[in-house]
Amino acid sequence: MKHISDELKIIKRSGLYRELNIVEGTQGTHLEIKGKTYLSFCSNNYLGLANNPLVIKAVKDAVEKYGWGTGASMLVSGNMKLHEALEGEISRFKGKEASIVFPTGYMANIGTIYSLVSKGDLVICDKLNHASIIDGCRLSGADFRVYPHCDMEKLDNILKKSTKYPRKLIVTDTVFSMDGDIAPLPDIVRIAQKYKAMVMVDEAHGTGVFGEKGRGVVEHFNLSKKVGIIMGTLSKAVGSLGGYVSGDADLINFLRNKARPFMYTTALPPAVCAASIAGIKLIRKNPSLRKSLWNNMRYLKEKLDLLNLNVIPSESPIVPILIGDAEKAVDVSKFLYKKGILIPAIRPPTVPAKSSRLRMTVMSTHTRKDMERLLDVLRTVQNF
Ligand SMILES: *Cc1c(COP(=O)(O)O)cnc(C)c1O
C-alpha cells in the first residue's frame, strides 16, 4: 500500500489535503466545533430550513406514523406514501407533469445522464458544471464535449459540427456552484432548438433561491415550458436530502426503468421525504425567506465592494473571493477560523488550478451583526 501513502504525501505537499470538521450542535448560521462557536458562511442551507421547527415537527410526525427505514429499493417495496407525496409536491412546485426522487442529487445526475445518452450519442457540458454531471457524462459512454464557461458561440459551433449524432444532450448548472453566476439559459434553449438537442438543467443552487415563486432559474427566465429535463437537489435551500428530476410522464417512467442509481439503491426514509415536503411548502408559502436572503446578499456585496479583495462577480448568494494559490487560500481560511469564522478554502480539483478561493454563502438567517463581524475580519485579510 506504499502508493497510497506516497500519493497522500503529494496531496499534502501541494496544499490540497482535505480534513473533516466535526460539527457538534445543529446546522445554522453558527456552528459548534470542538466546543467553540463559529460564525458560518459556507453552508448551502440558504433559508435555514435544515433546522426549521416546522421541518423537525414534520420529521417527528412521520417517524411516529411510518417508522424510519424503508428496507428495499423504490421498485421493490421501498416506495411509501410520502415518496409519492414528495414527487407530487415537486411536480407542482416545478410546474411539470411528473418527478422522480433519488437518494441524492449526485445520484440523480449520474442516473439521468447515462439513461439519456449512451455510446454513439453526444453530451455537451459547460466547463464549470458540477462534478456529478461530469461523472454522469463519463459513465454514459457518449462522446463528451465541453465548452468554455457560458461561451454560447462555442456551444453553437460544437452542435453545428455534430449533425451525425442521433441524440444530443446539453447539460448545465443553472447557478454555478463555485462561481455563483447563472447560465445564459435563454440562449442555451434557443441553440438547442436550432439543432434539436435535449436540454437538462441542474437547479441545485437555483431551487428556493431564484424565481418569483422560488422555483429556480428556469422560472426566473420563464422557461419552464421549454426546458424538458429539470434536475435539482433537496439538500440545499430545501434543507433536507435527496435529488430529483422533473419532466413529462414519459421521461420520468423511462428513468424509473433505466436509471441504475434509482433502481439499485434503497429508498430514502419516509421521514426524509416529510422534511423535503415541509421545506418546499415553506419555500412556497414564505417569499419573505427569499427576500431576506437577497437583502443579505446585496448588503454583503455592497460592503465587500468597498474592500480591496478579489470578489468574483456572482449573481447569487454564492460569493467567492479569489485567492489563486491553494496554500495561500488555506492560510487565509485558517486565519479566519482563528477569528471564529468558518469559510473553508475551495481548491483543485473542485476549481481549476490557480483559482483557489474562499467560497462564501449567505443565508437568510444571517443578521446584520453577523455580516458586520465577517466584514471586520475580512478588512484585516486585505493585507494578508
Ligand atoms: C450539491 C450539488 C449536487 C449534488 O447534490 P447532493 O444532493 O448534495 O448529492 C449536484 N449538482 C450541483 C450543481 C450541486 O451543487
Side-chain angles (χ1 to χ4, degrees):
M1 305 274 266
K2 189 170 175 302
H3 68 283
I4 293 180
S5 51
D6 285 350
E7 191 164 338
L8 263 182
K9 271 181 213 146
I10 295 173
I11 295 174
K12 279 185 183 162
R13 237 183 278 134
S14 23
L16 298 179
Y17 190 67
R18 289 150 153 88
E19 282 172 288
L20 294 166
N21 278 324
I22 301 170
V23 174
E24 283 149 14
T26 54
Q27 292 287 345
T29 53
H30 291 73
L31 300 179
E32 207 180 308
I33 300 168
K34 291 187 187 145
K36 240 186 103 177
T37 303
Y38 291 86
L39 172 57
S40 159
F41 277 92
C42 59
S43 174
N44 303 313
N45 175 22
Y46 295 112
L47 305 173
L49 298 185
N51 199 30
N52 180 290
L54 292 174
V55 172
I56 293 168
K57 179 164 188 315
V59 171
K60 284 184 174 162
D61 292 350
V63 173
E64 285 291 326
K65 196 159 175 194
Y66 301 103
W68 180 250
T70 54
S73 74
M74 294 277 275
L75 290 170
V76 177
S77 61
N79 186 34
M80 297 168 74
K81 244 182 134 149
L82 288 181
H83 297 86
E84 189 80 11
L86 172 59
E87 290 178 347
E89 186 70 37
I90 295 170
S91 301
R92 279 190 297 281
F93 183 50
K94 292 285 168 173
K96 289 286 181 195
E97 212 174 10
S99 301
I100 175 174
V101 169
F102 293 75
T104 69
Y106 192 107
M107 293 163 82
N109 268 336
I110 290 188
T112 304
I113 294 168
Y114 83 51
S115 297
L116 290 171
V117 287
S118 51
K119 198 166 171 352
D121 300 326
L122 177 68
V123 60
I124 313 172
C125 277
D126 187 289
K127 177 92 172 67
L128 297 187
N129 275 354
H130 190 261
S132 55
I133 297 178
I134 308 291
D135 291 357
C137 294
R138 286 182 184 148
L139 267 174
S140 74
D143 286 348
F144 179 21
R145 300 288 306 273
V146 174
Y147 54 91
H149 186 45
C150 293
D151 188 335
M152 293 296 102
E153 225 177 282
K154 285 279 159 55
L155 171 62
D156 191 288
N157 262 331
I158 292 173
L159 280 161
K160 197 182 287 170
K161 292 181 195 142
S162 304
T163 46
K164 66 168 182 168
Y165 291 100
R167 270 190 295 266
K168 299 174 277 274
L169 172 68
I170 307 167
V171 193
T172 184
D173 284 22
T174 57
V175 179
F176 290 91
S177 53
M178 295 301 135
D179 288 54
D181 55 343
I182 62 179
L185 266 196
D187 293 331
I188 292 175
V189 166
R190 184 178 45 76
I191 294 170
Q193 282 176 339
K194 185 167 147 194
Y195 295 103
K196 296 195 167 43
M198 299 179 276
V199 177
M200 170 176 169
V201 298
D202 177 339
E203 286 268 45
H205 296 276
T207 304
V209 175
F210 281 84
E212 205 184 320
K213 298 201 165 71
R215 294 171 169 183
V217 175
V218 172
E219 184 199 5
H220 168 80
F221 284 123
N222 196 17
L223 287 170
S224 24
K225 296 233 156 48
K226 301 214 165 133
V227 177
I229 309 157
I230 301 178
M231 176 272 169
T233 73
L234 301 160
S235 55
K236 285 163 186 162
V238 180
S240 180
L241 179 70
Y244 60 84
V245 176
S246 298
D248 64 29
D250 267 359
L251 169 75
I252 302 310
N253 284 329
F254 174 74
L255 292 176
R256 288 193 179 120
N257 283 279
K258 227 165 136 133
R260 293 162 69 93
F262 172 82
M263 300 166 78
Y264 300 112
T265 197
T266 301
L268 282 171
V272 173
C273 299
S276 300
I277 294 170
I280 295 173
K281 283 196 173 137
L282 281 161
I283 290 171
R284 280 204 290 110
K285 292 184 181 156
N286 296 280
S288 62
L289 290 171
R290 232 159 21 253
K291 213 169 180 178
S292 28
L293 175 67
W294 285 90
N295 282 343
N296 281 353
M297 172 199 135
R298 281 189 207 103
Y299 180 81
L300 186 67
K301 280 190 183 163
E302 248 174 62
K303 298 278 171 166
L304 276 171
D305 280 346
L306 306 174
L307 305 187
N308 186 23
L309 291 166
N310 203 349
V311 179
I312 297 177
S314 88
E315 299 162 84
S316 71
I318 299 166
V319 187
I321 300 176
L322 188 67
I323 306 283
D325 182 59
E327 278 171 318
K328 187 165 176 211
V330 173
D331 286 347
V332 178
S333 169
K334 278 188 181 156
F335 172 80
L336 295 174
Y337 189 76
K338 270 196 203 122
K339 301 275 177 190
I341 291 179
L342 191 67
I343 310 175
I346 306 287
R347 296 161 280 168
T350 311
V351 292
K354 296 284 152 215
S355 75
S356 289
R357 65 198 66 184
L358 297 176
R359 173 186 179 268
M360 299 190 290
T361 46
V362 186
M363 291 169 63
S364 65
T365 42
H366 280 125
T367 62
R368 281 283 157 98
K369 217 172 120 203
D370 294 335
M371 290 186 281
E372 285 305 330
R373 196 171 141 217
L374 169 71
L375 288 159
D376 279 344
V377 177
L378 286 177
R379 265 178 213 114
T380 59
V381 167
Q382 296 184 88
N383 314 310
F384 199 88

